[in-house]
């Protein structure tokens, strides 16, 4: 479960940025094509934040849908996996959204 390592890093980064202040809320952006399971992040967050400035903080996970851009016609199409087909029939898509894994913001006291 690589989500445990990812969550440890999220807690570490937020703790450092909080500079000793209590963290009330953390918002993450997780792309649906990132390979990260949001529910696992939520579970790991509770465990990893114990004894830190983030203990008891709310975690919001904003799930970013996958989107591809066709290299043939330029149309943007929704993606449920990192590859797919455009409605024009071309299979040459560039993934332009859905691979994100970002700390969007956090609220501190």
């Amino acid at each position: 479960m690589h989500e445990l390592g990812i969550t440890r890093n999220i807690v570490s980064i937020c703790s450092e940025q909080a500079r000793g202040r209590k963290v009330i809320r953390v918002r993450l952006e997780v792309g649906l094509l990132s390979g990260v399971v949001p529910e696992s992040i939520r579970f790991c967050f509770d465990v990893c934040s114990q004894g830190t400035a983030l203990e008891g903080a709310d975690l919001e996970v904003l799930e970013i849908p996958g989107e591809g851009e066709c290299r043939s016609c330029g149309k943007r199409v929704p993606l449920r996996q990192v590859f797919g087909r455009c409605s024009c029939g071309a299979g040459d898509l560039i993934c332009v959204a859905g691979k994100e894994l970002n700390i969007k913001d956090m609220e501190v006291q």
Side-chain angles (χ1 to χ4, degrees), residues 10-69:
I10 291 167
V11 169
S12 175
I13 291 166
C14 290
S15 292
E16 183 179 316
Q17 293 301 312
R19 295 182 180 96
R21 295 172 291 175
K22 173 84 175 130
V23 177
I24 305 299
R25 179 181 60 155
V26 176
R27 288 196 308 169
L28 302 178
E29 294 176 324
V30 178
L32 295 177
L33 304 176
S34 67
V36 175
V37 179
E39 210 43 55
S40 295
I41 293 285
R42 286 184 187 96
F43 173 78
C44 292
F45 185 80
D46 289 338
V47 173
C48 292
S49 64
Q50 290 179 3
T52 72
L54 283 80
E55 186 170 1
D58 290 328
L59 176 66
E60 288 182 35
V61 179
L62 309 170
E63 296 183 27
I64 309 297
E67 185 177 33
E69 184 175 305

Side-chain angles (χ1 to χ4, degrees), residues 72-84:
S72 296
C73 72
K75 182 178 178 181
R76 290 193 170 212
V77 297
L79 291 177
R80 294 179 190 215
Q81 50 198 11
V82 292
F83 54 88

